[in-house]
Amino acid sequence: MADFDAIYEEEDEPEQDPDEPYTSVVPDPIIIRGAGNMTVFGLSNRFESEFPNGLVSRVAPEEFKATVMRVNSVLKKTLPVNVKWLFCGCVCCCCTLGCSLWPVVCLSKRTQHSLDKLLEWENSRLYHKLGLHWRLTKQRCDSSSMMEYVLLIEFIPKIPIYRPD
């Protein structure tokens, strides 16, 4: 039977060496997956604009939704063209020995570059001031070994400033 009246000594937390730099705890990044019904080379035709719980009290839901809508508008303009070129490239693939797929690859890279530029603009305009960083990145799908593009919202650690008294 356990001794309920016993007093146990707590383990002391390791002391931090004053010469070591400060360590700050940064939350895990927030992942926004594609929510569209069409995907070309891992890039979905739209992203979900539902406000994640991890951003509560960090950014206004309206700002988050506006950013996702800007991303979705870029995708809405570019992906239908990519799909048409992909279809044409697949039809002509045998005759061109696969060279007909190059326009689709170039258009896909251009779409990714447009999204990267948009997210950098959003970061410099608002999100870096709030300690957040948005980026488009490839990640392995949960259900398979395929790769998909996701929006990753990372938290920028705040560096404490040492002021001698």
Side-chain angles (χ1 to χ4, degrees), residues 34-108:
N37 55 0
M38 179 175 54
T39 303
V40 178
F41 292 127
L43 192 57
S44 181
N45 66 331
R46 75 179 191 87
F47 286 96
E48 188 62 46
S49 61
E50 183 180 330
F51 189 71
N53 290 335
L55 292 180
V56 172
S57 77
R58 290 193 181 262
V59 67
E62 298 82 21
E63 288 290 341
F64 172 83
K65 188 171 183 171
T67 300
V68 174
M69 289 304 178
R70 285 186 198 98
V71 168
N72 286 342
S73 70
V74 168
L75 292 172
K76 186 177 181 180
K77 285 189 278 188
T78 58
L79 278 183
V81 175
N82 293 9
V83 170
K84 290 175 188 173
W85 277 100
L86 180 63
F87 179 72
C88 292
C90 288
V91 168
C92 302
C93 189
C94 295
C95 301
T96 63
L97 301 175
C99 292
S100 59
L101 293 174
W102 274 109
V104 184
V105 172
C106 292
L107 286 172
S108 180

Side-chain angles (χ1 to χ4, degrees), residues 3-8:
D3 188 10
F4 293 110
D5 295 331
I7 298 174
Y8 297 101

